[in-house]
Amino acid sequence: QVQVVESGGGLAQEGGSLTLSCTGSGLRLSTTWMGWFRQAPGKEHEGVACISRSGGEIYYTDSVRGRFVITRDNAKNQVYLQMSRVKPEDTARYFCAAGPRGPCLRPDYNIWGLGTQVTVSS
């Protein structure tokens, strides 16, 4: 079964850090662009960051640029989102996705994980 699975969410204090991981199963993540998305209650999916197959191209949404870093380790079949200086408005369910069908920050991907919750308290 082809899937991606997120881990690493939880509770963080404002200004703190969290690292999310995305692991591929039945899929070599090295063959595809990857993206991180988030969805807060009552809101649509928002593209957070995306990374090319080699990691040479990276894009961020404006609200996280300079605070979040997306990386990948193709040998481990994993993609990461390092979140620092987190804010209460970063509270959301975070999703990993593989295989964009268009611009990589647009939530139009072939494979989605179930997500991991991130809650930031002030």
Side-chain angles (χ1 to χ4, degrees):
Q1 184 179 1
V2 175
Q3 60 181 355
V4 292
V5 179
E6 304 91 341
S7 61
L11 182 64
Q13 294 272 1
E14 184 175 9
S17 301
L18 277 174
T19 296
L20 307 183
S21 299
C22 172
T23 303
S25 177
L27 171 68
R28 286 169 52 197
L29 300 187
S30 61
T31 64
T32 184
W33 282 63
M34 299 292 299
W36 282 101
F37 293 81
R38 65 187 179 186
Q39 186 174 29
K43 295 189 176 181
E44 296 183 352
H45 275 86
E46 176 190 22
V48 175
C50 52
I51 188 168
S52 64
R53 287 180 287 268
S54 67
E57 287 186 68
I58 290 173
Y59 300 93
Y60 297 100
T61 193
D62 288 346
S63 61
V64 308
R65 189 176 294 110
R67 300 189 298 120
F68 292 8
V69 177
I70 185 172
T71 57
R72 65 190 305 157
D73 186 334
N74 288 335
K76 294 184 177 179
N77 214 31
Q78 291 185 315
V79 177
Y80 311 98
L81 185 69
Q82 297 166 272
M83 307 167 61
S84 60
R85 291 184 282 136
V86 294
K87 305 175 182 180
E89 51 263 45
D90 294 323
T91 295
R93 191 163 186 85
Y94 284 72
F95 298 85
C96 172
R101 292 192 283 251
C104 69
L105 285 178
R106 193 170 74 190
D108 186 9
Y109 276 64
N110 288 313
I111 299 167
W112 290 84
L114 297 179
T116 185
Q117 180 67 35
V118 171
T119 302
V120 181
S121 62
S122 57

